[in-house]
Amino acid sequence: MAVIELFNPLLDLFKQYWVAIIGLATLLYLLSNRYQKGLQKIPGPWIRSVSSIPRILSVYKSFSHEDDLRLHKKYGKIVRIAPNSLSISDPHEINTLYGISTKFYKSRFYDLASVHDEEGLVPDPFVLTNKELHSRMKRNAANAYSMNGLLQMESWIEPVTERLLQRLEERHVKTGQPCDLGKLLQLYAMDAVFSLTFGKDKDFMEHGDQHGMMRTLDLMTDYMAIFGQIPWIHKFLLGNKYGTRLLLGQDTSEEAIMKLAMSEVDAVREKDDDSGPCTFLRRLLLNQKSNPASLTDREIFTHSFGNIAAGSDTTAIALRSVMIHLLQYPDVQAKLHAEIQSANLQLPVSFVAANSLPYLNAVIKEAMRLHPSVGLMLARYVPQGGATICGQYIAQGTEVGINPWVLHRDPQVYPQPDIFRPERWLEAEKEHLSLMNKSFLTFGAGAHTCSGRQISLMEVTKVIPTLLLTYDFKLVEDGRDISFKNRWFTPQKGLKVFITKAKNEVSFR
Ligand code: HEM
């Protein structure tokens, strides 16, 4: 009783001046944000330096890349986009932030993509901040992602591509009905990466998203993009099991995806059948057999699960970007057609044959430059002791990153950056080409470079000439419906086309 009485005068004071007290506390909080770590010297809008809310809203409305571009145009190569967050657009800092031996490490933004099971954090290279474990995991799976390894898995893509063509033929060419090619390419990418990983797929093209996998991946990237701007909130939401249950219910589709991937791993191991071409999963199981200490079961499962989560949407975005740009730039399409025709490619198009076509490679690279599949900055923390970035000292623990979308539109690296011009990759002087290549961040850079880069390049390089050799495509309503959202991944919508047989159609042998 006596103790409570001690607080009474304070309570009375608060009742009398609560507006002023709350106002003062808010002001102090905003000022402490602005002046933290000496970051007030970094240019940027004042509002961004005091609160994360404008950044969250910018990401929420799905067009933060436009805000980022505008801010860099106004403020230069380094911009404060949130109280503790700096966006960098300078190719000379790529090595500082992402180089193989950098001490910069992934920011808590990535925590929101982490998956936990009964044993704790599932060790996924995408989210790992433990550099030793990260490089061990990557090293021990490297042969499964290598070009050599992939060439052995290539044939797993063929039946999926054949089904894609059949579907286009029966449902669209024969009927004259328009096709939502954007949607179909997403289902195709899902089937292709499933097939290559496990040696069978779920026929997404026929059954659609029956396991709710694509919906879950979409929700998870929305969640990561928006709440990743204030990662401390994760432990109150999906970062704890009660929050997960409350927000997603008992049996989440994320769990369903994990169970599915686990059961595929078990099935392949039980079958122990090494006839037929090697799959990604079999390659990892063979690695484990020859050196049991190199890979744990959980790591094998994570790599396989990761292929589905990281390799379907991203590849679909790249495929759509190539098709959209080809249909919007008929001259480029004609030039590519000529190259493909004169190469005398056969179906199924082999990766080695298609990959030797310089213009095709330039088209793919240019489409991935203009529309990278990741549209937020690849966020890292400044390590202990701080660092100098763009000539400014930045204190440790500050979040910094380069957004591929922004750097890919730097006119000093890519003159007239908004124009789709594959020739830029073929005509540039040696030194400038090296700057362009270094600044090409579609697959990230350094130690965390995309593991599945070659898988997606193989898929895209094979399927684009296949489509062009077989059919002619025409945008419905000149593609006025085409749009996209940027929530980490940048999926497009509205790629609707009419399809007819190509004049010099090539068919499967
Ligand atoms: C066009 C297709 C793809 C694009 C544009 C893409 C993009 C990226 C980017 C930008 C990163 C780096 C993220 C960061 O540093 O924060 C990354 C990492 C990763 N990607 Fe991809 N990706 C693609 C396809 C794939 C595929 C097909 C797979 C697997 C089959 C895959 C697996 C991974 C993995 C495991 C990582 C984490 C690597 C690490 O942190 O060490 N990706 N990807």
Side-chain angles (χ1 to χ4, degrees):
M1 186 72 172
V3 178
I4 288 175
E5 273 167 15
L6 275 179
F7 284 103
N8 279 344
L10 283 179
L11 217 58
D12 290 341
L13 204 68
F14 184 75
K15 275 185 198 154
Q16 220 173 338
Y17 298 108
W18 67 271
V19 176
I21 292 171
I22 290 178
L24 187 66
T26 310
L27 185 68
L28 286 176
Y29 169 72
L30 297 179
L31 288 176
S32 72
N33 272 346
R34 173 156 174 83
Y35 291 98
Q36 65 172 303
K37 300 178 188 149
L39 289 176
Q40 72 280 3
K41 64 181 189 265
I42 306 296
W46 187 84
I47 187 80
R48 294 289 187 111
S49 70
V50 295
S51 165
S52 294
I53 294 173
R55 175 67 183 163
I56 297 172
L57 289 177
S58 173
V59 174
Y60 176 77
K61 71 181 167 66
S62 302
F63 276 92
S64 61
H65 54 285
E66 285 191 350
D67 288 341
D68 292 356
L69 271 168
R70 190 176 42 77
L71 292 176
H72 276 288
K73 239 177 222 159
K74 182 162 177 196
Y75 294 102
K77 290 185 179 304
I78 178 164
V79 181
R80 194 172 182 190
I81 54 168
N84 188 39
S85 212
L86 311 181
S87 173
I88 315 292
S89 180
D90 184 346
H92 302 105
E93 299 297 353
I94 293 175
N95 210 31
T96 320
L97 269 61
Y98 306 109
I100 293 286
S101 51
T102 187
K103 291 200 162 52
F104 285 60
Y105 56 101
K106 284 206 164 186
S107 85
R108 286 178 65 198
F109 171 80
Y110 294 87
D111 286 358
L112 282 80
S114 55
V115 176
H116 291 258
D117 64 10
E118 327 57 76
E119 290 176 52
L121 175 71
V122 176
D124 174 359
F126 182 64
V127 300
L128 280 178
T129 46
N130 176 336
K131 292 196 181 234
E132 214 176 298
L133 177 58
H134 174 262
S135 63
R136 188 180 69 77
M137 272 190 81
K138 281 194 90 152
R139 202 174 44 247
N140 292 329
N143 63 349
Y145 288 110
S146 72
M147 190 39 80
N148 247 351
L150 283 176
L151 289 175
Q152 293 171 30
M153 302 170 201
E154 179 175 359
S155 59
W156 290 110
I157 300 181
E158 314 307 7
V160 182
T161 307
E162 217 167 318
R163 284 203 326 262
L164 170 72
L165 296 184
Q166 251 167 30
R167 201 180 165 86
L168 291 176
E169 180 76 31
E170 277 155 26
R171 309 222 174 160
H172 303 286
V173 177
K174 282 187 183 156
T175 64
Q177 288 297 315
C179 168
D180 186 342
L181 188 63
K183 182 84 203 154
L184 191 57
L185 288 175
Q186 186 182 14
L187 303 171
Y188 169 81
M190 196 60 144
D191 280 334
V193 76
F194 237 103
S195 179
L196 185 137
T197 305
F198 299 113
K200 61 179 183 188
D201 64 74
K202 299 278 161 198
D203 204 349
F204 279 88
M205 282 189 283
E206 179 60 28
H207 306 301
D209 187 20
Q210 56 175 337
H211 299 281
M213 278 190 184
M214 286 150 79
R215 190 188 61 95
T216 301
L217 292 176
D218 200 34
L219 279 177
M220 291 317 288
T221 46
D222 279 359
Y223 173 77
M224 180 179 169
I226 296 166
F227 294 111
Q229 307 307 320
I230 38 169
W232 53 265
I233 209 170
H234 177 53
K235 62 174 178 288
F236 302 107
L237 301 172
L238 300 186
N240 78 75
K241 61 180 177 198
Y242 304 107
T244 308
R245 248 176 238 160
L246 194 73
L247 294 169
L248 298 177
Q250 283 287 356
D251 188 12
T252 68
S253 36
E254 192 189 26
E255 274 173 38
I257 302 176
M258 295 211 302
K259 279 185 195 149
L260 195 77
M262 274 184 203
S263 69
E264 295 297 344
V265 174
D266 289 344
V268 171
R269 178 174 276 139
E270 266 165 38
K271 214 165 143 210
D272 197 23
D273 169 13
D274 51 12
S275 60
C278 196
T279 61
F280 177 90
L281 177 54
R282 174 147 290 282
R283 168 61 50 217
L284 293 188
L285 289 171
L286 288 172
N287 289 355
Q288 191 191 45
K289 212 171 184 177
S290 64
N291 178 5
S294 66
L295 274 165
T296 65
D297 277 5
R298 270 174 108 218
E299 287 167 5
I300 292 181
F301 152 71
T302 312
H303 283 302
S304 315
F305 167 76
N307 283 7
I308 311 302
S312 50
D313 277 341
T314 46
T315 306
I317 294 167
L319 283 170
R320 290 191 202 111
S321 179
V322 176
M323 286 308 289
I324 290 171
H325 284 102
L326 285 177
L327 294 171
Q328 287 174 341
Y329 288 77
D331 292 354
V332 175
Q333 196 190 149
K335 202 165 160 184
L336 179 59
H337 246 290
E339 182 185 64
I340 292 172
Q341 294 286 355
S342 66
N344 206 13
L345 295 179
Q346 302 294 319
L347 295 187
V349 169
S350 89
F351 176 66
V352 170
N355 197 36
S356 69
L357 304 181
Y359 198 64
L360 173 64
N361 279 322
V363 164
I364 293 172
K365 199 158 185 183
E366 182 70 345
M368 288 183 164
R369 174 189 74 83
L370 265 177
H371 194 110
S373 307
V374 168
L376 298 184
M377 71 182 198
L378 311 175
R380 304 292 189 263
Y381 282 138
V382 175
Q384 210 175 12
T388 301
I389 302 174
C390 299
Q392 305 265 15
Y393 173 78
I394 311 294
Q396 69 183 60
T398 308
E399 189 182 56
V400 292
I402 302 179
N403 181 347
W405 202 284
V406 174
L407 191 57
H408 288 183
R409 280 170 170 75
D410 180 337
Q412 280 169 358
V413 184
Y414 306 103
Q416 297 186 294
D418 291 323
I419 295 180
F420 178 67
R421 212 175 75 80
E423 287 76 7
R424 71 174 79 239
W425 296 100
L426 303 170
E427 293 167 357
E429 297 290 337
K430 196 170 163 214
E431 210 173 306
H432 193 74
L433 181 62
S434 142
L435 177 67
M436 284 164 61
N437 279 325
K438 182 174 138 188
S439 308
F440 182 75
L441 284 190
T442 294
F443 292 105
H448 281 281
T449 301
C450 175
S451 312
R453 180 173 185 272
Q454 310 284 10
I455 296 185
S456 57
L457 284 175
M458 176 186 274
E459 281 178 42
V460 179
T461 310
K462 280 165 69 68
V463 83
I464 293 295
T466 304
L467 289 173
L468 296 182
L469 282 170
T470 323
Y471 300 118
D472 288 335
F473 299 86
K474 186 173 175 302
L475 284 171
V476 172
E477 291 188 12
D478 292 329
R480 276 192 289 277
D481 274 0
I482 296 174
S483 63
F484 76 96
K485 71 169 188 180
N486 176 5
R487 292 276 177 77
W488 176 249
F489 289 160
T490 54
Q492 311 89 333
K493 262 169 68 176
L495 172 52
K496 304 231 172 62
V497 289
F498 290 113
I499 308 176
T500 48
K501 274 209 191 306
K503 279 188 210 86
N504 304 319
E505 184 208 356
V506 176
S507 52
F508 265 84
R509 274 173 297 191

